[in-house]
Amino acid sequence: AASKTPRHPVLKKRDDFEDVLEERRRSSDLRYALRCYTPTLYKGLVPCKASMLKTIVLQSDHLQYVIKQVSSESGDSTECVAEEASLILDEMAHRLQLSTIRFFAFTLSKAFKRLFRSVCVNEEGIQRLQQAVQEHPVVLLPSHRSYMDFLMMSYLLYMYDLPLPVIAAGMDFMSMKFVGEMLRMSGAFFIRRSFGGDKLYWAVFSEYVKTMLRNGYAPVEFFLEGTRSRTCKSLTPKTGLLNIVMEPFFKGALFDVNLVPVSISYERILEESLYARELLGVPKPKESTSGLLKARRVLSEDYGSMHVYFGHPVSLRSLAEGKINRSQYNLLPRYIPQKPRVDTHEFLNDAAFRLVRIQEENMVLKPWVLIATLLLQNPDGLELSFLTEQTDWLRHLALAFGAFLDWPDHEACSEVISCSLALHRHLLSVSAGHVQLNVTDAPQVETTPEEAVFHRAVVVLSCASYRNQILHVFLRPALLAVAMQSANSNRKDDVYNCFNFLRNMFSNEFILCPGDSIQDFEEACYLLMKHGVLQVLEHEIVMSASGHSTLAFLCSVLDPFLQGYQVVCRYLCEETNENLTEKDFIPAVRSFALKLILAGRLKCCEALSSDLQKNALAALLRLKAVRKVKVGDQVTLKVNKIAVNSLEDTLGKSNVNQNSWCSSMAMLK
């Protein structure tokens, strides 16, 4: 059960960093790639050859059981089904070869030195990982913001003489001739994005992963979020692969599993403008070797620094203690598939959220995320002197709330800001000491009003991807700040009810651990009280005389999300016909939001984001204000307009009240 004592994020001790590129800039990349590589393996095992691994999987009791089951259900012979299983495994399996790893070590050293000023790694985290891989099988769980993530992970493990991971990768990469096979030979195993009801595919996949884990042949690596986050916010975790790696422990085949969350952060994201365009409906470029070659021009750009933080290994045994009754798994032989029970499913979900929260808390934040946050809240721009003053104020607020901020120790604030503005100059215009987002300089050719809005939205969403990186720091205090305005009351119960409503509404948008509502509320109260913003009495919450500007800022943090969700609600109430399909929903909402922007009724370009629209729909479905109905081959959305209208009104109250706060904040400037 969740503790009701608020966490104290400020007190968290974090490791120091080392720049791994420093040595690479001084010595030969070829000598480095060809050096002696002798990783310490789990229980001193000899690495297993790919052919042997395939034999073990195909002959396993679990897969043999499923082959017979599928044969019985389909009428095909067991030999025929077994052959299909073998073909699935051939398509899926990695073929890790040290020669390929050495090739990548050489080429990535060259590339990383061109792309990044520094790649900083916490050495204490590496030492903990070196110990963990010898004790129990290891699962690496990196955050996922860029294609660079899994390349960097393998590069670092090779650098520190750690066993190379086997990495779950999407089938998209298979279409990249040569590169797809190179990735396979560097440890990638390829899985379909969706299995549907394919029982045989699921059995081959799960047995393959569990065999690698049970025998400790290599750390298994996958992304809890399932895909790259186009918004740079953490995504709601997927639990399918997590269930697979936990099952050998549940069934007693493993004493323990070490889960290692890894936080990877970028000062400037390589896919920044691609992500913004994807969120505005431009199709994602297909992975291809020719596309990779065309992307070589990124090597001439400066992407600043990169930080990789290896978190403390989380013992699955400790995590499950008192929460999972493992004896239930002894009722059937281990090889017989079992669907996760309700308590197991709840445990998986809770564990996944907590692991993503650890990733968030260990994410290193650069000064630019603070600047981006302020510029988004001030679309008309700020004088450089005032921006410097506000950034310094925000830096102290973020640190008070426990942010992991990488701020140069001995540099003047003005110098730090000047360097950040230079790195992100493509998003900015700086003129006569005035700084604003580059939202007015549309391309030189004549554009339509729609194209001008698109150009502006690309810049805003690109900038928002940096602001989003610090949202987890401000989220709980921001929910409390908006709740205080929405409640229009000082009574603690009233404020908590509004906080809980907002938390529930936004639980698809942010990482909010299920069942932690009271803990989150108390944490928000603690942080704001400690910072002198609030007084929290037994039955009342009262704003202090000096708390006005802090609460106004926190309200503004959530403003784009409140406005975006209101736009979705308004669309569903005003525009929906009876045959709105799920497939047509996002293009239709985007078109509706665009009309509002062109008519001057909406200024928030973030309302055009498909990610926000999708999360808003998920919230409305969860709250039963909208339901899905299957009609033929299509899924239709049925809208309860009374319920949606009521939700829009409640969100509107939060927004109206906070707008009055923010206008008074503007007067202070």
Side-chain angles (χ1 to χ4, degrees):
S3 162
K4 300 305 177 202
T5 307
R7 291 181 295 259
H8 294 186
V10 186
L11 304 178
K12 183 168 179 177
K13 160 89 171 62
R14 291 174 176 118
D15 304 338
D16 294 327
F17 285 92
E18 169 194 57
D19 176 13
V20 298
L21 293 187
E22 200 175 307
E23 172 66 23
R24 295 276 39 78
R25 295 189 200 281
R26 291 200 305 261
S27 59
S28 161
D29 291 329
L30 185 60
R31 194 177 297 120
Y32 161 70
L34 296 176
R35 70 187 176 83
C36 179
Y37 170 67
T38 52
T40 306
L41 298 173
Y42 169 58
K43 292 183 178 173
L45 282 173
V46 177
C48 177
K49 289 185 178 176
S51 56
M52 177 61 74
L53 186 59
K54 180 180 176 181
T55 303
I56 295 170
V57 172
L58 291 175
Q59 291 179 355
S60 67
D61 290 340
H62 169 65
L63 191 53
Q64 288 297 315
Y65 177 86
V66 174
I67 285 170
K68 287 173 187 167
Q69 201 177 38
V70 171
S71 169
S72 171
E73 290 168 3
S74 66
D76 295 330
S77 67
T78 53
E79 291 78 11
C80 183
V81 178
E83 179 61 28
E84 189 184 343
S86 180
L87 291 171
I88 290 170
L89 197 51
D90 286 339
E91 175 190 68
M92 182 186 297
H94 76 79
R95 289 198 293 275
L96 185 61
Q97 292 183 11
L98 188 55
S99 57
T100 309
I101 296 297
R102 293 191 188 282
F103 168 79
F104 272 118
F106 177 76
T107 53
L108 289 176
S109 289
K110 299 286 185 199
F112 291 156
K113 285 187 288 184
R114 292 278 297 274
L115 288 167
F116 302 110
R117 297 176 190 177
S118 60
V119 172
C120 302
V121 180
N122 63 323
E123 283 219 303
E124 288 174 60
I126 291 290
Q127 289 162 11
R128 290 191 294 263
L129 182 57
Q130 285 166 336
Q131 184 65 34
V133 295
Q134 296 176 57
E135 294 172 349
H136 304 289
V138 163
V139 178
L140 295 167
L141 301 168
S143 57
H144 201 15
R145 303 291 178 270
S146 170
Y147 277 143
M148 197 60 70
D149 297 332
F150 66 88
L151 295 172
M152 183 57 78
M153 286 290 292
S154 295
Y155 180 81
L156 291 175
L157 266 60
Y158 176 78
M159 173 177 276
Y160 284 105
D161 240 17
L162 281 155
L164 291 162
V166 289
I167 309 151
M171 292 293 279
D172 332 35
F173 291 102
M174 288 278 288
S175 62
M176 299 174 74
K177 291 173 186 171
F178 177 68
V179 173
E181 280 309 303
M182 290 291 286
L183 291 173
R184 190 192 292 278
M185 289 189 287
S186 66
F189 62 95
F190 297 100
I191 55 175
R192 297 173 191 166
R193 292 286 180 193
S194 171
F195 304 166
D198 193 333
K199 192 182 288 185
L200 184 64
Y201 190 92
W202 177 259
V204 172
F205 168 57
S206 60
E207 188 58 33
Y208 180 65
V209 173
K210 285 185 281 191
T211 300
M212 289 189 290
L213 193 72
R214 271 196 306 263
N215 296 289
Y217 294 133
V220 175
E221 179 185 319
F222 63 91
F223 300 108
L224 266 174
E225 298 162 281
T227 186
R228 288 174 299 158
S229 169
R230 270 67 173 170
T231 60
C232 292
K233 280 193 288 100
S234 295
L235 304 178
T236 302
K238 308 285 190 295
T239 56
L241 250 169
L242 195 63
N243 180 40
I244 287 173
V245 297
M246 287 185 174
E247 194 178 285
F249 166 75
F250 293 155
K251 291 189 172 183
L254 285 173
F255 181 79
D256 201 356
V257 176
N258 279 320
L259 307 167
V260 181
V262 184
S263 306
I264 306 175
S265 42
Y266 299 85
E267 188 168 13
R268 186 179 163 205
I269 301 152
L270 276 78
E271 300 97 328
E272 174 191 284
S273 65
L274 277 177
Y275 287 168
R277 286 174 165 79
E278 277 186 53
L279 293 170
L280 294 168
V282 177
K284 169 187 160 189
K286 196 171 185 293
E287 283 82 1
S288 68
T289 305
S290 61
L292 182 67
L293 294 172
K294 285 176 193 168
R296 282 179 304 170
R297 65 178 178 274
V298 303
L299 292 172
S300 61
E301 295 276 337
D302 179 2
Y303 289 92
S305 63
M306 178 179 179
H307 284 77
V308 184
Y309 192 98
F310 288 84
H312 286 264
V314 176
S315 157
L316 175 55
R317 191 176 189 85
S318 300
L319 204 60
E321 193 174 354
K323 295 175 185 174
I324 293 291
N325 176 14
R326 293 201 294 159
S327 62
Q328 61 182 296
Y329 288 94
N330 297 333
L331 301 175
L332 288 171
R334 282 179 187 163
Y335 63 83
I336 295 179
Q338 297 179 53
K339 279 191 175 180
R341 290 175 23 146
V342 173
D343 62 337
T344 305
H345 184 76
E346 285 176 358
F347 170 73
L348 280 167
N349 204 38
D350 184 65
F353 271 87
R354 295 191 187 284
L355 289 163
V356 175
R357 280 284 285 137
I358 294 170
Q359 287 177 351
E360 284 187 331
E361 288 171 358
N362 290 334
M363 203 71 79
V364 175
L365 304 168
K366 300 295 286 185
W368 170 245
V369 302
L370 304 175
I371 300 166
T373 302
L374 292 167
L375 290 174
L376 283 166
Q377 291 187 7
N378 296 274
D380 296 328
L382 294 166
E383 292 304 308
L384 183 54
S385 57
F386 189 66
L387 176 62
T388 304
E389 182 188 314
Q390 286 295 96
T391 304
D392 197 41
W393 171 81
L394 190 52
R395 169 170 69 116
H396 287 97
L397 182 67
L399 288 171
F401 287 180
F404 196 174
L405 198 58
D406 179 40
W407 188 282
D409 285 335
H410 306 296
E411 282 185 40
C413 188
S414 56
E415 185 60 34
V416 173
I417 288 169
S418 178
C419 290
S420 288
L421 295 179
L423 185 66
H424 298 276
R425 58 188 174 275
H426 57 293
L427 295 175
L428 301 163
S429 65
V430 183
S431 176
H434 189 81
V435 185
Q436 72 179 108
L437 292 182
N438 194 9
V439 292
T440 51
D441 293 351
Q444 296 305 305
V445 294
E446 208 169 306
T447 57
T448 64
E450 288 81 2
E451 287 168 337
V453 170
F454 179 85
H455 168 77
R456 189 161 81 243
V458 167
V459 174
V460 167
L461 290 176
S462 296
C463 199
S465 69
Y466 295 99
R467 185 244 7 242
N468 289 345
Q469 293 176 30
I470 200 169
L471 281 179
H472 67 276
V473 173
F474 297 128
L475 175 60
R476 287 152 188 81
L479 287 170
L480 178 56
V482 175
M484 286 177 66
Q485 300 318 297
S486 187
N488 215 10
S489 159
N490 288 341
R491 286 189 68 245
K492 200 173 183 179
D493 287 350
D494 294 340
V495 175
Y496 173 72
N497 289 337
C498 288
F499 177 93
N500 202 30
F501 165 78
L502 290 164
R503 188 185 183 281
N504 196 15
M505 194 76 194
F506 289 131
S507 63
N508 293 88
E509 196 70 54
F510 308 111
I511 298 300
L512 293 157
C513 297
D516 271 12
S517 186
I518 292 172
Q519 187 174 340
D520 285 346
F521 180 72
E522 290 183 350
E523 182 181 313
C525 289
Y526 167 78
L527 289 171
L528 289 174
M529 188 171 61
K530 187 176 70 71
H531 198 64
V533 176
L534 301 177
Q535 286 180 295
V536 181
L537 310 173
E538 189 178 354
H539 299 295
E540 284 192 325
I541 298 177
V542 183
M543 182 179 73
S544 67
S546 59
H548 202 284
S549 58
T550 302
L551 289 177
F553 163 77
L554 291 169
C555 284
S556 292
V557 165
L558 288 182
D559 182 49
F561 303 98
L562 288 163
Q563 285 197 51
Y565 278 47
Q566 279 182 274
V567 168
V568 170
C569 290
R570 200 174 312 156
Y571 166 74
L572 290 171
C573 287
E574 290 180 15
E575 300 283 323
T576 317
N577 60 46
E578 286 298 308
N579 300 311
L580 175 67
T581 63
E582 187 177 24
K583 189 178 76 172
D584 293 334
F585 169 76
I586 285 177
V589 175
R590 187 184 297 119
S591 175
F592 178 73
L594 181 60
K595 281 180 196 168
L596 292 176
I597 290 170
L598 290 170
R601 293 169 58 200
L602 176 68
K603 289 186 177 175
C604 178
C605 285
E606 291 186 59
L608 294 167
S609 164
S610 58
D611 185 76
L612 184 146
Q613 294 156 1
K614 184 184 70 190
N615 290 335
L617 177 62
L620 294 171
L621 286 163
R622 188 167 32 78
L623 296 169
K624 296 184 170 48
V626 177
R627 60 192 175 89
K628 292 181 184 180
V629 177
K630 192 90 183 279
V631 179
D633 294 336
Q634 294 190 314
V635 176
T636 303
L637 299 175
K638 298 296 178 188
V639 181
N640 179 339
K641 294 197 177 187
I642 295 171
V644 171
N645 202 43
S646 171
L647 290 169
E648 187 197 347
D649 284 347
T650 310
L651 289 169
K653 281 177 193 168
S654 306
N655 217 17
V656 167
N657 283 322
Q658 91 169 66
N659 284 341
S660 65
W661 274 53
C662 294
S663 59
S664 61
M665 175 65 176
M667 288 169 66
L668 295 173
K669 298 173 188 175

